[in-house]
Amino acid sequence: MELSKFVTQLSKDFPDFHFTYGKRFTFRPPKTIVVGPDEGEATPLLVFHELGHALSGKYSYNLGIERLKIEAMAWQEGKKTYDSCLASGKYPGLPPWDEDFVEDSLDTYRNWLHTKSKCRKCGLTMLQKPDKSWHCPYCEQFKPTPSS
């Protein structure tokens, strides 16, 4: 299905949301879904993912781990929507859902979180506290004591 026809059909089926085109796929709360450049068969999956953010109502986070959870939830909601749209028969030529693509996408967030949580001093994994600060249990436990 051609991208513009796909987006037009989604606009009809999801009239509460505004679909527009931009430089990258994103959801702009509360109602705008931005369709990025054509990515071939991945394009519909990316659109369903952003629609998943919109439909789930969860798109902001405080802690790094929440970001990963929100992204996973958006993919799950996107898959449910994809299945519904596929069953409707209104989306001919919709490519198959690609779990490997989804996992690769989630890996970017997993890698981001791993990098963000790595202690620069010792290399172990830090913990993020509710105040958004990062703490290394190892470095904090074994701080050198001031010499007398």
Side-chain angles (χ1 to χ4, degrees):
M1 175 178 250
E2 180 187 316
L3 181 58
S4 63
K5 289 181 182 178
F6 170 67
V7 172
T8 298
Q9 187 61 51
L10 282 174
S11 296
K12 291 176 185 174
D13 290 344
F14 298 92
D16 291 344
F17 300 104
H18 173 68
F19 293 82
T20 187
Y21 295 91
K23 293 182 180 180
R24 66 184 194 96
F25 292 87
T26 192
F27 171 59
R28 291 190 189 135
K31 302 281 183 187
T32 302
I33 296 160
V34 180
V35 178
D38 192 350
E39 298 280 340
E41 288 198 348
T43 300
L45 304 183
L46 293 165
V47 175
F48 281 118
H49 171 71
E50 299 307 334
L51 185 55
H53 278 295
L55 293 170
S56 73
K58 306 224 185 298
Y59 38 79
S60 63
Y61 64 94
N62 289 314
L63 303 177
I65 194 70
E66 289 175 323
R67 183 177 189 187
L68 179 57
K69 182 179 178 181
I70 287 170
E71 291 302 322
M73 288 172 57
W75 279 113
Q76 290 169 352
E77 190 65 37
K79 173 67 163 98
K80 284 195 282 187
T81 307
Y82 167 92
D83 289 342
S84 175
C85 288
L86 187 64
S88 75
K90 298 179 192 175
Y91 296 85
L94 200 57
W97 188 262
D98 185 346
E99 278 301 323
D100 289 335
F101 179 81
V102 171
E103 287 303 316
D104 288 347
S105 176
L106 287 171
D107 278 347
T108 65
Y109 292 97
R110 291 179 188 115
N111 293 338
W112 166 83
L113 184 57
H114 175 73
T115 300
K116 183 97 174 143
S117 66
K118 190 174 182 179
C119 179
R120 292 185 185 123
K121 291 179 187 173
C122 71
L124 295 178
T125 302
M126 296 187 295
L127 303 172
Q128 191 176 25
K129 293 189 175 182
D131 68 0
K132 301 180 187 177
S133 63
W134 290 91
H135 297 274
C136 178
Y138 180 80
C139 290
E140 289 177 9
Q141 181 180 1
F142 297 107
K143 282 183 185 175
T145 56
S147 50
S148 321

